[in-house]
């Protein structure tokens, strides 16, 4: 049982050494694959603004030099790893040889201990065969050298493959770095072109706006100039239409009329008609001569017309007021007559409107009041002929009649007073 454990221990050490050797070779390959990318590849691609703001200093030649330096460093590391692997193989072989020697010694000890002490062994040859089977046969020197060479060749082949793979990966990364650099340059150029294009477009827009503003200004100035010319023309035309400085004769032509000529000479129709002593509604005859008044005459006639209009309006207002007063007096008289009762003072009341010097004067006044619609009587007194309007039955009615007479513009009197008969 001790021999079996030792044998198994030796086999386990051999297998463990092989696994460790394979792991080291695999580590060499992994370390080659995990080499850091060139500096330019690890640098972040600059943004469009940074690329436009900073000049590009890295080129392909610099990348190639960096890549060659990295490859040299990688080759040195691979050589160091191979040296360590070789050292490990040597140590592993020594450990294997020691384990095999120990196993052989233990196996021989086991065989010696297992040999029968008496002659009653039925089959000593069988025991020898068992011991022979349990004995681990050591490798010969030639077999060990062949195995070591084969293992070394395999390891070298793996190392060469790993180195080739590392070179291939380095080439791929270098190409990627070169492509990244080219893309960065291309992006920088595109960004610069876009920037230039944008600046050109902005300049073009600014120029277009400037031209538009200049055009608007020119159009505004042209409109202002045209408006000034139009006003000047209108002023000239108006000056031509002004009345002459002195009166002038004008022969009526076909199509002429007072309204047309008044507009032509910038004066009211009434002024032109008054200057020619005709009605504003009069028609002009072909060949008729009329007078075009001067500016001074037009101004004087306009003032006279304005004064006459003001007087007319004043008289109209007074007439309206008088008519309202007369209507109110008549209404009061009618109401007073309705209120007269039998209990009023006996006799009649009248309204004396005048005291004439003689009968003729009295008769004239009677005609005037009768024409205004009043009942009038006369009576002689020692001081003259009395002219009385009436009679009325009561004093209230007589007072209302007096107010009506005093407000009547037809008779034009203010001295009427109530008289009891």
């Amino acid at each position: 049982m001790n021999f079996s454990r030792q044998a198994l221990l030796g086999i386990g050490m051999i297998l463990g050494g092989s696994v460790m050797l394979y792991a080291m070779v695999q580590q060499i390959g992994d370390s080659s694959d995990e080499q850091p990318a060139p500096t330019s590849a690890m640098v972040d691609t600059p943004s469009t603004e940074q690329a436009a703001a900073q000049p590009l200093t890295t080129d392909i030649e610099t990348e190639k030099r960096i890549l060659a330096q990295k490859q040299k460093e990688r080759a040195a590391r691979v050589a160091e790893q191979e040296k360590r692997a070789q050292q490990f193989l040597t140590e592993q072989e020594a450990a294997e040889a020691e384990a095999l020697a120990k196993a052989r010694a233990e196996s021989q000890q086991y065989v010696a201990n297992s040999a029968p002490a008496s002659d009653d062994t039925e089959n000593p040859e069988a025991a020898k065969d068992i011991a022979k089977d349990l004995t681990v046969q050591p490798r010969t020197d030639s077999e060990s050298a062949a195995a070591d060479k084969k293992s070394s060749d395999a390891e070298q082949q793996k190392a060469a493959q790993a180195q080739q793979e590392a070179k291939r990966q380095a080439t791929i990364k270098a190409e990627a770095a070169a492509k990244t650099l080219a893309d960065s340059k291309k992006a920088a150029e595109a960004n610069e072109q876009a920037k230039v294009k944008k600046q050109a477009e902005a300049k073009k827009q600014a120029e277009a706006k400037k031209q538009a503003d200049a055009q608007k200004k020119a159009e505004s100035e042209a409109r202002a100039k045209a408006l000034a010319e139009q006003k000047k023309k209108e002023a000239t035309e108006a000056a031509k239409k002004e009345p002459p400085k002195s009166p002038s004769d004008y022969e009526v032509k076909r199509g002429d009329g007072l309204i047309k000529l008044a507009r032509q000479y910038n004066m009211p129709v009434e002024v032109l008609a008054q200057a020619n002593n005709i009605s504003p509604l009069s028609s002009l005859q072909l060949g008729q001569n009329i007078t075009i008044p001067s500016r001074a005459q037009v101004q004087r006639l306009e003032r006279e017309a304005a004064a006459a209009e003001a007087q007319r309006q004043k008289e109209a207002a007074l007439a309206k007021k008088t008519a309202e007063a007369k209507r109110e007096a008549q209404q009061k008289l009618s109401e007073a007559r309705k209120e007269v009762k039998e209990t009023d003072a006996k006799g009649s009341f009248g309204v004396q409107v005048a005291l004439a010097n003689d009968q003729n004067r009295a008769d004239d006044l009677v005609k005037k009041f009768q024409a205004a619609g009043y009942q009038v009587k006369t009576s002689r007194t020692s001081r003259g002929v009395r002219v009385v309007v009436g009679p009325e039955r009561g004093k209230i009615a007589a007072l209302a009649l007096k107010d009506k007479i005093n407000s009547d513009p037809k008779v034009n009197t203010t001295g009427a007073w109530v008289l009891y008969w």
Side-chain angles (χ1 to χ4, degrees):
M1 293 298 291
N2 291 331
F3 172 75
S4 298
R5 285 197 298 270
Q6 293 295 331
L8 291 175
L9 179 60
I11 295 171
M13 291 178 66
I14 295 172
L15 294 175
S18 300
V19 172
M20 291 180 66
L21 180 61
Y22 177 77
M24 290 181 67
V25 174
Q26 187 67 27
Q27 183 179 5
I28 293 172
D30 294 340
S31 63
S32 299
D33 295 339
E34 294 175 358
Q35 292 299 322
T39 304
S40 60
M42 295 177 67
V43 177
D44 294 337
T45 303
S47 62
T48 304
E49 292 78 3
Q50 292 174 348
Q54 298 179 357
L56 298 174
T57 60
T58 305
D59 55 8
I60 299 299
E61 295 299 329
T62 303
E63 294 292 335
K64 287 183 178 180
R65 288 196 298 271
I66 295 173
L67 179 59
Q69 181 66 25
K70 295 295 182 181
Q71 288 177 351
K72 289 180 180 180
E73 295 175 358
R74 190 178 300 107
R77 287 195 296 271
V78 171
E80 181 66 22
Q81 294 291 340
E82 289 178 353
K83 182 179 180 181
R84 292 181 182 179
Q86 187 64 33
Q87 184 179 358
F88 178 76
L89 289 174
T90 302
E91 294 174 356
Q92 182 67 21
E93 289 175 356
E96 289 178 0
E98 184 179 355
L100 289 174
K102 188 175 182 179
R104 282 195 297 270
E106 290 180 356
S107 177
Q108 290 175 1
Q109 183 67 31
Y110 177 76
V111 171
N113 292 335
S114 300
S118 61
D119 294 336
D120 56 357
T121 303
E122 296 180 356
N123 193 357
E125 297 294 333
K128 291 180 180 181
D129 293 337
I130 292 172
K132 183 179 180 180
D133 293 337
L134 292 174
T135 302
V136 177
Q137 299 294 329
R139 292 184 298 178
T140 63
D141 293 338
S142 61
E143 291 176 351
S144 178
D148 292 342
K149 183 179 181 181
K150 184 177 181 180
S151 177
S152 178
D153 293 341
E155 296 302 331
Q156 289 179 359
Q157 185 177 2
K158 288 182 179 180
Q161 291 177 354
Q163 186 176 6
Q164 291 178 358
E165 181 64 20
K167 289 181 179 181
R168 188 178 69 83
Q169 293 295 332
T171 302
I172 292 174
K173 290 180 179 180
E175 292 177 353
K179 185 175 182 300
T180 301
L181 181 60
D183 292 341
S184 298
K185 288 184 177 181
K186 186 176 180 180
E189 292 176 357
N191 181 66
E192 186 65 23
Q193 291 178 358
K195 185 178 180 181
V196 173
K197 183 178 180 181
K198 186 177 181 180
Q199 291 177 351
E201 290 179 353
K203 185 176 180 181
K204 185 177 180 181
Q205 291 178 357
E207 186 66 23
K209 184 178 180 181
K210 184 177 180 181
Q211 292 179 357
D213 292 342
Q215 184 176 0
K216 289 182 179 179
K217 184 178 180 181
E219 291 176 355
S220 177
E221 291 177 353
R223 287 195 297 269
K225 184 177 180 181
L227 182 61
E229 292 179 354
Q230 180 66 24
K231 288 183 177 180
K232 184 177 180 181
K233 184 178 179 180
E234 291 176 356
T236 302
E237 294 294 331
K240 291 180 179 180
K241 292 180 179 180
E242 287 292 329
K245 293 182 179 180
S246 58
S248 61
D249 294 333
Y250 179 83
E251 184 178 351
V252 177
K253 300 179 178 60
R254 187 179 300 276
D256 286 340
L258 285 177
I259 296 177
K260 179 181 177 181
L261 294 175
R263 290 178 179 176
Q264 180 176 344
Y265 290 99
N266 193 21
M267 64 181 64
V269 177
E270 293 78 8
V271 171
L272 181 60
Q274 185 178 358
N276 290 274
N277 296 321
I278 57 178
S279 171
L281 301 178
S282 301
S283 299
L284 300 180
Q285 303 296 325
L286 182 63
Q288 179 181 352
N289 290 324
I290 62 174
T291 300
I292 305 299
S294 64
R295 281 179 287 184
Q297 288 178 325
V298 170
Q299 292 174 359
R300 177 177 58 80
L301 292 173
E302 286 180 346
R303 288 194 300 270
E304 292 177 356
E309 179 65 19
Q311 183 63 26
R312 186 189 66 78
Q313 292 179 358
K314 183 178 180 181
E315 292 176 355
L318 180 60
K320 182 179 180 181
K321 183 178 181 181
T322 302
E324 291 177 355
K326 183 179 178 181
R327 185 167 52 252
E328 182 179 359
Q330 180 62 40
Q331 183 177 359
K332 288 181 179 180
L333 177 60
S334 299
E335 293 174 356
R337 286 174 179 175
K338 291 179 181 179
E339 293 178 1
V340 174
K341 298 179 180 179
E342 294 295 335
T343 58
D344 288 343
K346 295 181 179 179
S348 298
F349 292 87
V351 178
Q352 180 176 323
V353 295
L355 183 63
N357 295 327
D358 53 30
Q359 188 63 42
N360 294 331
R361 176 59 181 166
D363 293 339
D364 293 336
L365 291 175
V366 169
K367 292 179 181 178
K368 177 182 178 182
F369 277 89
Q370 287 178 346
Y374 297 98
Q375 295 180 359
V376 186
K377 292 182 179 180
T378 61
S379 63
R380 290 183 176 273
T381 65
S382 59
R383 291 183 298 175
V385 180
R386 179 183 293 139
V387 180
V388 180
V389 177
E392 296 291 337
R393 291 183 56 188
K395 188 174 181 179
I396 296 176
L399 292 173
L401 178 61
K402 182 198 70 170
D403 293 339
K404 178 183 178 182
I405 293 171
N406 287 333
S407 62
D408 192 348
K410 292 182 179 180
V411 296
N412 191 20
T413 183
T414 58
W417 55 283
V418 176
L419 177 68
Y420 177 71
W421 285 344

